[in-house]
Amino acid sequence: MAESDAQDRNLPASARRLKKAREDGNVPRSRDLGHFAALAAGGLGLVVMTPTLIGWTQAGLIRSLSFDANARLGPSAMFERLADLTVMMLWVVVPLGLWMSFVGIASALALGGWNWTLKPLMPKSTPFNLPAGISRLLSKQHVIDALKASLLALLLGTVGCLYLYFHIDEFRGLMGMPLTTGLAQAGSALQGGLWLLLGVLAVFAAVDAPLQRYLNASKLKMTVQEMKQEHKESEGSQEVKGRRRQLMRELSRRRMLAAVPTADLVVMNPTHYAVALKYDEALMGAPRVVAKGADLLAMTIRDTARTAQVPVLQAPVLARALYAHAELDREIPTALFAAVAQVLAYVYQLRAAMSGRGAMPGDLPELVVPPELDPHNTPVVEDADPA
């Protein structure tokens, strides 16, 4: 079952999953990179400090091997010398340790970045589960880490033994050298062995850093179901989204119907489309669509307009063109200016006549609507002449 689940995890981790993993302290880290960086920094520090260390060592040995009457008579002199040697050692160990720690931390940040969290230290309330613990111990990452650590220890031990084997005579010769020459020669021999060990660590670090990135990314991969579930949680379920869209449509419908009484006229296709237009010469550059609808909503717009005594004109071609190409709360398309101007002029004449300020107009003149704006005007493609 676990193998099948791992095979199904073939989608890269989402940004949300990566963020949660960082909050849980799950970021790629390479121990080999940290070990190499710290030891390399320590080796470089020792090389830089070698002349000073040799001088301090010589002075310390000379002073330690020198005895006088006061040293024999008072045991406190021994404690004073021990304190002096301890202070001298601290002057070497503390700066070198801080330098190695700083470089080791910097190498870890270079791989996985800064990530401060206390979640890995928090106690977990999950019950003890022996099979699950064994399964985690036998996971791919733990097995790879164990094999890598064993191989690294074997190679470091082999390199160290071989170096000592081929330089055993050199180390034996140190016993017959003067103190100054012997210390310098010992430091040089130890540096050679240190560089070899650092070379082995460098190879492992070069392999382990990208390997840890790969293993971490592989562990965070998602299945199709997990991706769908995350999208559902972040965007909301389809039922909730559908309900939200329904509410938005209802609010838009109510807003349109509330704007119909303020319109100047409603242009209709008798049974399918209705478009309410409003024009204010002082505020608008062109007539604006304040409501439009089809089928049942068109009938509702018509009834609302008649109740508010807004003129309703039957102009099927213009109604279809306006419904298809004019947007709500926007000015009508330029190509329909002439046709809309005709119906507005007709409405203004009709209102003037009804108020006794003019003669009653005749029938609505034929409207000029470009054929390409009528959605029902689909051109017929003629077959090519086979000849």
Side-chain angles (χ1 to χ4, degrees), residues 66-78 81:
S66 300
F67 298 96
D68 54 19
N70 292 329
R72 290 185 301 157
L73 295 177
S76 60
M78 180 181 66
R81 291 187 179 183

Side-chain angles (χ1 to χ4, degrees), residues 118-179:
L118 296 177
K119 277 193 175 183
L121 301 178
M122 296 297 177
K124 298 181 180 179
S125 59
T126 55
F128 178 74
N129 191 339
L130 183 60
I134 296 176
S135 177
R136 284 194 297 269
L137 288 176
L138 298 178
S139 64
K140 179 172 64 176
Q141 183 166 358
H142 282 82
V143 171
I144 290 176
D145 289 341
L147 293 176
K148 183 166 55 65
S150 301
L151 180 60
L152 177 60
L154 179 62
L155 287 178
L156 289 177
T158 303
V159 170
C161 291
L162 290 176
Y163 184 80
L164 290 176
Y165 177 78
F166 288 107
H167 293 79
I168 189 66
D169 294 334
E170 183 178 352
F171 284 105
R172 287 175 181 173
L174 294 177
M175 303 300 295
M177 294 181 181
L179 180 60

